[in-house]
Amino acid sequence: MSISKTKSTRMSRRAFLGYTSALSFAAVLGQVHPVQAAEPVKGGHFVLGLKGGESTNSLDPALSASQVPFNVLRGWGETLLNVAPDGGLEYRLAESVEATDDGQSWHFTIRSGVKFHNGETMTAQDVLKTMERHSNEDSKSGALGIMRGIDSMSVEGNVFTVNLTTASSDLPYLLADYHLVIQPNGGMDDPAAGIGTGPYKITENEPGARHGFEKFADYWDDSRGHYDTYEIIVINDDTARAAALQSGQVNAINIVSPKTAKLFGRAPGISIETTSGRGHYVFVMHVDTPPFDNKDLRLALKYSVNREEMVEKVLNGYGAVGNDTPINDAYPLFDETIPQRQFDLDKAREHYEASGHDGSPIILRVSDAAFAGALDAAALFQQSAQAAGIPLEIKREPADGYWSEVWNKQPFAASYWGGRAVQDQMYTTAYLSTADWNDTRFKNADFDELLLQARAELDENKRKDVYGQMGRLLNEEGGLINPMFNQFIDGVSAKVAGWEANPNAEMMDGFIASKTWFE
């Protein structure tokens, strides 16, 4: 058995792929030289005003499904690795990774001396218990699809080992999933306790209103966590959120409205940070529920979407058209040869008539909690669909409870995905037949088989071809209507230093409170 092992802080995506190709699977992270623009200033109280919080939110990492819970997790919790802005990997609670030649066994050496907020020392057993909890069907974890590819897990000393059912060259990326925050005893005792190893401790937790944090004195990494305290204030109203930043009530906000972003950016003391990435604004159909179990009806709805109009009028140009898959050119191995689906009322009408639908209202459930401009997008969708003779009806849902009561429960709804670091992770999380977050109920044996094939393929050209087959299959058969990929539009006070664009998610992939400081 050949093993290659390196220790460092970070490795680029290209270097990672090069290692896995050159050394079979027996490689992982190599040397890079992180650059820091200025010496961080310690101290102060930082305030975030965020959209995407509800009274039903939980501190349980498994259940994090919208913006506020995601950003809260980044403050108090940590995963084994992070995906870097350049698409590479950064060591966090794992300090080295190695794999066997066949790519089916991966060994993560767990960092020593790391403290939980309750004073206990984190061990490899905590890592094992965390992964076991997220593998449990009862956990309802957003990472459940990822965990189902694992055959067994074990611990020996400070090494956590994962044995896979099928080889995977992307496992370190999969285990960087934000849900997989390491907790004491894996969170088995109290998953919503909010106790982790992150740079900040939870001091207040008022779901849907406010979350308070203070600097964790025993935090292991001095390069993160520069503020003494910080808080997240939930401000779901776009106008109120922008006003809070202008008045100085908050230091940064997420999801600046595309309609006002350019004008807002001219205000003194405010910077608008736009980042292209993998996020996409979508409408999802349950393909196992009538009338969406009819392929012709699904295609009729897909052809009736005027994508260019939505990008222009809803995103105000801050984005690009989608193609009814979750993958764009921000992903490695993107297949640019998949034909772009065009707005075509004749085809929409043809497929609708072929579906044999009885003409009853087709109800699309929408809230601006789904994404910025969701109601406007739905209105445009309704207008163009009705022009094709499709009886699309919009039902407006309340923002509070949207992610717990509507998304992934109602058969046709507006939704939002921030994307994932690699195609395997995106497909495994949301389109594998067994994924708990399969919000289109797309269950296709051929797709599942291709996903496993892609995982084990080291040749990049062959792997790209497999991903292309998957994209075409989803584009034609799936329940995803993806009109547009959005840019992340964040508003930041000029007093904040250390901003770093990150295509993985809004607010520097949720690390704005951990990595920035006051001038």
Side-chain angles (χ1 to χ4, degrees):
M1 180 182 296
S2 173
I3 296 289
S4 172
K5 178 178 179 181
T6 55
K7 288 188 178 183
S8 71
T9 304
R10 186 165 161 180
M11 185 185 199
S12 71
R13 172 70 186 170
R14 177 171 291 185
F16 179 81
L17 289 172
Y19 273 116
T20 54
S21 297
L23 301 174
S24 298
F25 287 90
V28 190
L29 309 179
Q31 291 187 353
V32 300
H33 303 283
V35 176
Q36 191 158 274
E39 188 67 26
V41 177
K42 304 292 184 179
H45 179 69
F46 183 68
V47 186
L48 280 170
L50 299 182
K51 180 176 183 173
E54 305 168 283
S55 60
T56 54
N57 290 155
S58 170
L59 291 179
D60 181 354
L63 304 180
S64 176
S66 57
Q67 291 90 347
V68 170
F70 165 72
N71 280 277
V72 169
L73 270 183
R74 291 304 206 196
W76 67 263
E78 293 184 294
T79 52
L80 295 181
L81 305 107
N82 288 162
V83 179
D86 65 2
L89 286 166
E90 296 175 343
Y91 285 114
R92 299 309 298 162
L93 297 183
E95 62 180 5
S96 70
V97 186
E98 58 187 35
T100 53
D101 280 345
D102 62 7
Q104 289 198 242
S105 294
W106 288 79
H107 309 287
F108 298 80
T109 300
I110 305 306
R111 191 176 300 277
S112 60
V114 175
K115 296 281 189 181
F116 284 117
H117 300 156
N118 62 4
E120 297 177 2
T121 300
M122 181 203 66
T123 69
Q125 282 291 338
D126 296 307
V127 175
L128 175 62
K129 289 295 186 181
T130 295
M131 301 305 172
E132 287 179 344
R133 188 174 80 82
H134 287 272
S135 303
N136 190 321
E137 301 283 341
D138 294 337
S139 72
K140 301 298 181 184
S141 174
L144 189 58
I146 293 169
M147 306 309 291
R148 284 184 174 129
I150 295 175
D151 179 57
S152 64
M153 299 178 288
S154 62
V155 164
E156 184 174 345
N158 67 337
V159 176
F160 167 63
T161 294
V162 177
N163 298 307
L164 302 172
T165 54
T166 303
S168 172
S169 58
D170 274 341
L171 183 68
Y173 283 90
L174 303 186
L175 295 190
D177 187 281
Y178 68 91
H179 299 93
L180 299 177
V181 163
I182 307 305
Q183 297 176 272
N185 196 34
M188 296 285 192
D189 305 317
D190 183 359
I195 296 174
T197 62
Y200 297 101
K201 298 195 302 183
I202 289 273
T203 56
E204 296 181 62
N205 180 46
E206 301 175 42
R210 183 178 179 275
H211 304 272
F213 304 81
E214 68 179 10
K215 170 72 176 174
F216 178 40
D218 291 330
Y219 185 55
W220 62 274
D221 183 359
D222 191 53
S223 71
R224 297 192 184 188
H226 308 299
Y227 302 109
D228 292 330
T229 56
Y230 88 96
E231 64 182 307
I232 292 174
I233 301 174
V234 179
I235 312 175
N236 286 322
D237 182 80
D238 291 348
T239 303
R241 199 166 58 259
L245 180 59
Q246 279 190 293
S247 68
Q249 179 188 359
V250 303
N251 304 116
I253 62 173
N254 67 344
I255 316 180
V256 174
S257 171
K259 292 181 178 180
T260 60
K262 291 177 183 177
L263 180 63
F264 187 43
R266 299 192 191 112
I270 292 174
S271 174
I272 298 299
E273 303 290 349
T274 60
T275 308
S276 296
R278 306 171 184 93
H280 43 293
Y281 294 165
V282 300
F283 304 106
V284 290
M285 303 175 282
H286 289 182
V287 300
D288 62 353
T289 303
F292 310 106
D293 57 348
N294 185 301
K295 178 180 175 180
D296 278 305
L297 183 78
R298 297 196 300 272
L299 286 172
L301 289 165
K302 291 177 181 181
Y303 278 113
S304 71
V305 176
N306 190 332
R307 300 159 203 272
E308 287 79 6
E309 182 181 39
M310 285 194 185
V311 171
E312 178 187 351
K313 294 183 177 179
V314 177
L315 296 184
N316 201 25
Y318 289 101
V321 296
N323 195 26
D324 300 336
T325 84
I327 307 302
N328 65 357
D329 59 5
Y331 281 90
L333 310 182
F334 169 69
D335 185 352
E336 65 285 346
T337 67
I338 298 176
Q340 173 65 50
R341 176 163 282 123
Q342 302 294 332
F343 172 54
D344 191 326
L345 288 179
D346 290 336
K347 283 189 176 180
R349 189 177 295 108
E350 177 186 333
H351 281 290
Y352 180 68
E353 291 173 355
S355 75
H357 185 254
D358 62 8
S360 60
I362 298 172
I363 298 174
L364 171 63
R365 297 173 187 272
V366 184
S367 167
D368 267 339
F371 58 83
L375 292 168
D376 292 338
L380 292 173
F381 188 8
Q382 182 182 38
Q383 183 179 18
S384 58
Q386 289 181 346
I390 302 171
L392 185 61
E393 181 176 305
I394 307 303
K395 179 173 173 48
R396 183 170 183 170
E397 298 283 356
D400 194 43
Y402 186 81
W403 294 106
S404 58
E405 303 301 326
V406 178
W407 174 74
N408 213 10
K409 291 186 178 180
Q410 295 296 337
F412 194 22
S415 186
Y416 164 69
W417 281 91
R420 296 295 187 267
V422 290
Q423 294 194 47
D424 188 341
Q425 188 179 15
M426 187 67 241
Y427 284 139
T428 299
T429 301
Y431 298 96
L432 188 67
S433 294
T434 54
D436 196 52
W437 277 16
N438 187 335
D439 60 2
T440 59
R441 305 298 189 268
F442 178 69
K443 298 179 181 180
N444 186 292
D446 291 338
F447 184 91
D448 293 350
E449 179 59 35
L450 287 168
L451 180 57
L452 296 179
Q453 182 181 334
R455 280 181 186 168
E457 181 57 68
L458 286 177
D459 184 288
E460 284 193 38
N461 291 327
K462 292 180 180 178
R463 199 175 191 203
K464 180 178 178 178
D465 179 68
V466 176
Y467 281 140
Q469 294 178 57
M470 294 167 65
R472 286 176 169 81
L473 191 58
L474 188 59
N475 172 278
E476 188 69 15
E477 303 284 343
L480 175 70
I481 299 174
N482 181 5
M484 48 193 164
F485 285 90
N486 64 290
Q487 291 182 3
F488 301 116
I489 311 176
D490 299 313
V492 185
S493 166
K495 297 178 181 179
V496 176
W499 174 271
E500 180 183 34
N502 193 315
N504 294 305
E506 63 172 38
M507 297 273 101
M508 298 173 55
D509 196 18
F511 292 116
I512 185 170
S514 299
K515 292 185 174 183
T516 64
W517 59 93
F518 288 130
E519 290 279 13

